[in-house]
């Protein structure tokens, strides 16, 4: 995908802009994009969207065994629930659920 137009490293002023501001639907020949892509942070996230494989990060990143932050972050946000685990191979279903999550919390 062509993104990274507002890199955190080159444009520190973007730190105070709400992340949702960087979300853009696909249109006029341009692909969908989001804050992860536009800010050049965790490029595997937008790559997962393009490939319609939300497990791409889990498949491609080798986390150190002593790194436990993600487990607790995901667990305490409810993202390890049976409901979400059932959607792990359903790109459209998980995308719809993510939209619901973002709309209800923010």
């Amino acid at each position: 995908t062509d993104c990274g137009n507002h890199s955190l490293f080159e444009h520190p002023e973007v730190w105070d802009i709400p992340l949702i501001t960087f979300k853009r639907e696909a249109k006029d020949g341009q692909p969908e994009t989001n804050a992860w892509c536009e800010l050049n942070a965790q490029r595997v996230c937008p790559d997962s969207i393009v490939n319609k494989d939300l497990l791409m990060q889990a498949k491609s990143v080798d986390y150190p065994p002593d790194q436990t932050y993600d487990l607790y972050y995901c667990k305490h946000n409810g993202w390890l629930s049976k409901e979400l685990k059932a959607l792990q191979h359903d790109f459209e279903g998980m995308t719809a659920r993510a939209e619901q999550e973002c709309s209800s919390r923010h």
Side-chain angles (χ1 to χ4, degrees):
T1 61
D2 180 23
C3 60
N5 298 311
H6 310 285
S7 175
L8 288 170
F9 309 107
E10 295 175 16
H11 302 282
E13 66 276 8
V14 301
W15 280 95
D16 296 324
I17 298 174
L19 293 175
I20 194 64
T21 305
F22 298 99
K23 182 176 177 18
R24 180 187 70 223
E25 300 297 327
K27 68 178 182 178
D28 300 327
Q30 295 293 315
E32 175 183 0
T33 189
N34 59 32
W36 293 118
C37 189
E38 290 301 316
L39 297 174
N40 256 341
Q42 293 210 19
R43 284 294 310 265
V44 71
C45 185
D47 291 345
S48 297
I49 293 169
V50 169
N51 289 289
K52 295 188 183 284
D53 180 2
L54 296 175
L55 292 175
M56 186 175 270
Q57 184 165 2
K59 295 173 185 175
S60 65
V61 178
D62 185 20
Y63 290 105
D66 61 340
Q67 184 176 351
T68 58
Y69 173 80
D70 282 349
L71 170 64
Y72 294 103
Y73 179 74
C74 292
K75 181 179 179 180
H76 293 294
N77 278 295
W79 299 334
L80 300 178
S81 68
K82 288 182 181 181
E83 172 197 4
L84 293 182
K85 285 181 188 178
L87 293 173
Q88 66 183 324
H89 299 291
D90 177 358
F91 181 82
E92 284 77 17
M94 184 64 86
T95 300
R97 181 62 179 85
E99 291 290 335
Q100 178 187 14
E101 176 84 8
C102 289
S103 296
S104 68
R105 289 189 182 210
H106 306 287

